[in-house]
Amino acid sequence: RAITQNEKENKTLAAEIAELNILPTRRRIQKMKMLKETGNICIYCGKTVSPYQFIEGNGYEVEHIIPRSRLFDDSMTNKVCSCKENKKKKNNQTAYDYMKSKSEQMFNSYLDRVEELYKSNRISRGKRDRLLMAGSEIPDDFIERDLRQTQYITRKSMDILSSVIRN
């Protein structure tokens, strides 16, 4: 059921992307899904983002909530829509640590945004947990961290090998 529902949602999103005169691709469908999750806003500053701007990369980009260099997680649970300036300033911090370094008002607005998105079932519990995870809480245990690293290494190995070996 979940696969069928996901396929249906992807077709709907592909149609919306096509209406913008943009060729729908897997990556663009994922970007549209991320944008819809946040209600067409940048998760960090709350600025409104048009689908065309985000899909084409005009001032907005996909941002890893917890940097890949620290968790090796490239799943949708670890990605959000962000302004380029916020992405650049955030650098290698978690989303929580980055927003905590801002003013108290901006930090509280961020917390309210995250909770509202979660309560309205727009983001999953896993994504909410990542958005509220401080850098000191990133798991160091083998099960979590090394499993992600192994998945990443396996994927890269398959990409490299498939370009050299036919079968």
Side-chain angles (χ1 to χ4, degrees):
R1 270 188 246 152
I3 292 171
T4 305
Q5 183 181 0
N6 198 27
E7 286 175 354
K8 217 182 259 187
E9 182 183 358
N10 287 346
K11 284 180 184 176
T12 304
L13 293 173
E16 287 181 36
I17 293 168
E19 287 175 12
L20 298 170
N21 293 323
I22 301 173
L23 179 68
T25 63
R26 182 174 179 242
R27 179 156 167 73
R28 288 175 176 158
I29 291 170
Q30 285 180 344
K31 286 176 94 172
M32 186 67 114
K33 201 177 279 191
M34 273 181 258
L35 187 61
K36 294 237 182 231
E37 273 182 344
T38 59
N40 292 20
I41 60 168
C42 169
I43 194 72
Y44 301 119
C45 64
K47 287 181 188 173
T48 302
V49 182
S50 78
Y52 186 85
Q53 287 176 309
F54 185 53
I55 291 170
E56 287 295 308
N58 297 336
Y60 300 91
E61 293 183 357
V62 173
E63 167 61 22
H64 286 85
I65 300 166
I66 300 172
R68 282 179 61 186
S69 61
R70 297 180 70 184
L71 190 64
F72 296 97
D73 183 2
D74 196 33
S75 69
M76 289 289 285
T77 307
N78 196 37
K79 295 178 183 177
V80 289
C81 169
S82 169
C83 304
K84 281 186 180 181
E85 59 228 29
N86 280 314
K87 181 176 178 158
K88 187 176 182 180
K89 289 176 188 173
K90 180 180 168 282
N91 199 13
N92 202 30
Q93 301 176 61
T94 65
Y96 183 84
D97 291 339
Y98 170 65
M99 290 308 295
K100 194 154 178 90
S101 70
K102 301 271 189 188
S103 70
E104 188 175 336
Q105 181 184 2
M106 289 180 77
F107 180 64
N108 289 333
S109 294
Y110 168 76
L111 294 176
D112 292 343
R113 246 188 321 278
V114 170
E115 284 305 316
E116 178 58 36
L117 291 171
Y118 177 67
K119 285 178 184 173
S120 63
N121 290 323
R122 295 186 102 159
I123 60 172
S124 67
R125 186 161 156 247
K127 186 170 269 194
R128 184 198 71 168
D129 292 348
R130 285 191 187 343
L131 286 165
L132 301 177
M133 183 184 289
S136 60
E137 297 173 15
I138 296 174
D140 290 329
D141 60 332
F142 175 82
I143 301 290
E144 184 69 30
R145 185 171 178 86
D146 289 343
L147 181 62
R148 295 280 179 218
Q149 288 176 341
T150 304
Q151 290 171 340
Y152 179 75
I153 291 167
T154 303
R155 226 176 295 126
K156 285 298 179 188
S157 299
M158 286 296 293
D159 289 345
I160 292 167
L161 287 172
S162 65
S163 68
V164 177
I165 301 169
R166 201 181 279 171
N167 294 325

